[in-house]
Amino acid sequence: PMPGYRVNLATNLGHVTDGGLTDASGRTFAYVTSDTPGEAELIATLDGAAYHDALPATTTITFYDPLSGLIPDLAAESAAPYATDAIEITPLPIVQGISTTISVNLTNPNDFPIVVTGTFGIAQLGIGLTFGPLGGIQSVEIPAQSTRTIGIIWTPTVSGKYCVDFNYSWAPTSQAGLASLLSTSGGHIRRNLSVFPGTLEPQHGKEILEKARIATKRLSLFTPSPHLAIPKAGVNWGLGWHFDTAAEISRQMGGDPPRQDYRVIAMPEWYTIAPATPGPGLSQARADAVNALTEAILDLIAYGNAALISLDRYGGAAAAGSLTWSAQQASAVIYYRGKVGQAMLDAADAVDDFAQVLENEEGSPLIITVAEVQAYQDRLRTQGWTAEEIQTAYEFGLTDAQIEALRQDILAQDPAQLAGDLLQKLREAAQALREAGATLVAEQNYATPSTPRTRGVSATPNNLVQVYRTQVPIQVGNPATVTDTISLKTRPLGLPKDWSVSVSPASVTLGPGEAITATVTIVPGSPTAQGTTPRVAVEGFNSSDELIGGVVVDVVAPAQGNFDGKLYIFLPVVRR
């Protein structure tokens, strides 16, 4: 980003107001107006001979005729027929079961008072869909040249990405305004909620985590083996549950369910497990190995849960448009993912040490037979968990649903897949954990300063962040009463030059009311400016090339925050 430089804008349609200076993120604003409908090709260039080689930025905007009904005549500053800030939603993000207020600000541009009557509707994030009703008919009188607000309270039953619609009509309150009434006296305004946090993990990282998840999951099912039996009730089974929890954490590392409590920083919480103690049938070496492995897995669970909560809150901050808290939560995610990576490395070493103790005491190989696995599954199928096992599960904080889910998971496994050399399987799992841990520890989203710090010279700040591919599912429907072909086109709105956008499928033929799921893929290039929100519009056109709707997808590129795993209280300094 280049702050403090003047940007010029050229267009082949309309009139330009430009010349603003770029801010700290290298961004500025220009305005284009037009009295003629059509598409305007825009080219932005830097002002100054020193930067004549800089690549120009290009984009396309479309001006619509207000009388066509595509632009709502009572919504101020509509970005597009399908995107306006006139609709306000609080609190954000929308969360299942929590009451949400949806309101719309309507401005009467006339010299006479009017009455506006309308209804709210809701649909999934998409194009050409049928909106379901929200609440009843709303009505408000708006004085001349004034603004009024209409709103409802809605409690969603399903979480997700939505599009909100307000469909309305208006009429003068007196005969004086009839002469000025246009042929159209109504319209609709829409807002879609599609802000996504910039993905902090590359695709290869997700694949390695999935490999670790599978390996860890298998470990949770090996623990009933007689070779792992420990004369302390439930310890081997409890260790299996910890592996199962660690596997679930690995699986969820790529999710982004938003949370509304994004102004709170998560802290890790550890389970308290009584250590294994040596005794008859349990050597000191095996007890030490079990305790070391338990400690490593408990670290993985504690830091992993904190990372997942932070990830969810990062999604909530992004959906709410809070760049400040998205930066704080993103920093917490990165910090805790590093801790998870180190815990995986420690767990890998502990698994290897545990396997070595087993080999020293019982020899190699240690074969788990198909018959042993089947006998264990038969016992769970016919008798279930023992009372002692259930009590141990309660001590570990499991619910009845989680206990039953683990039983069903074990019953669903193929005995042939679980049978084999236990030592080999343990070492394969350790290797998978080691690869995943090394990946998490090495990940870096924020660049280091571009020059080293030397005596008397400060390092040059770097305000770039690397985010990765974002995939957004949207619904695409045919609102017509006949079969039609819907074409989907992407329109970058402030995306960095080396980012790419695609939508699949790009064209689809649908029957009346039929809908499919399309996927919008945004692939970032090099690092982009921190604290920005690159966006892209996806628009749907019917076979007559008429706009039927669109969605705007925003991707938050978080700024770098300062988080070291501790919470601080800052007190004001008062000078008397």
Side-chain angles (χ1 to χ4, degrees), residues 248-259:
E248 183 67 11
I249 287 173
S250 295
R251 185 188 70 80
Q252 294 183 21
M253 276 292 189
D256 69 332
R259 291 175 56 140

Side-chain angles (χ1 to χ4, degrees), residues 203-384:
Q203 185 61 36
H204 73 272
K206 294 182 180 180
E207 294 167 354
I208 293 174
L209 277 176
E210 177 63 14
K211 180 179 177 181
R213 183 196 73 83
I214 294 173
T216 313
K217 184 71 176 178
R218 289 175 178 170
L219 278 182
S220 72
L221 304 175
F222 296 150
T223 53
S225 165
H227 299 291
L228 300 184
I230 301 171
K232 180 176 176 59
V235 169
N236 61 316
W237 183 84
L239 186 59
W241 171 74
H242 289 311
F243 274 120
D244 187 68
T245 302
E248 183 67 11
I249 287 173
S250 295
R251 185 188 70 80
Q252 294 183 21
M253 276 292 189
D256 69 332
R259 291 175 56 140
Q260 291 182 333
D261 58 346
Y262 57 82
R263 294 181 179 87
V264 179
I265 297 295
M267 299 300 291
E269 297 180 1
W270 280 265
Y271 291 98
T272 300
I273 305 298
T277 55
L282 180 62
S283 67
Q284 182 70 56
R286 188 178 296 200
D288 291 343
V290 167
N291 290 333
L293 181 54
T294 302
E295 183 177 352
I297 293 296
L298 290 178
D299 281 348
L300 197 162
I301 293 171
Y303 288 122
N305 283 332
L308 291 180
I309 293 172
S310 301
L311 184 65
D312 295 347
R313 289 173 176 167
Y314 172 40
S322 175
L323 293 177
T324 298
W325 278 103
S326 68
Q328 294 296 321
Q329 296 296 349
S331 296
V333 171
I334 294 169
Y335 174 84
Y336 285 132
R337 282 169 62 86
K339 290 292 188 180
V340 169
Q342 185 58 55
M344 284 183 169
L345 294 177
D346 294 341
D349 292 341
V351 170
D352 279 337
D353 292 344
F354 184 54
Q356 187 61 52
V357 170
L358 291 180
E359 183 176 6
N360 293 342
E361 293 185 354
E362 302 196 29
S364 176
L366 291 181
I367 301 299
I368 302 175
T369 67
V370 173
E372 287 175 332
V373 176
Q374 290 174 333
Y376 178 64
Q377 289 177 321
D378 289 342
R379 195 265 289 179
L380 286 183
R381 184 179 296 108
T382 58
Q383 303 175 32

Side-chain angles (χ1 to χ4, degrees), residues 36-52:
T36 304
E39 288 198 344
E41 301 290 337
L42 307 181
I43 301 178
T45 56
L46 284 177
D47 183 14
Y51 299 97
H52 66 276

Side-chain angles (χ1 to χ4, degrees), residues 517-536:
T517 299
T519 301
V520 181
T521 301
I522 303 175
V523 181
S526 56
T528 191
Q530 298 177 21
T532 58
T533 309
R535 57 171 36 187
V536 62

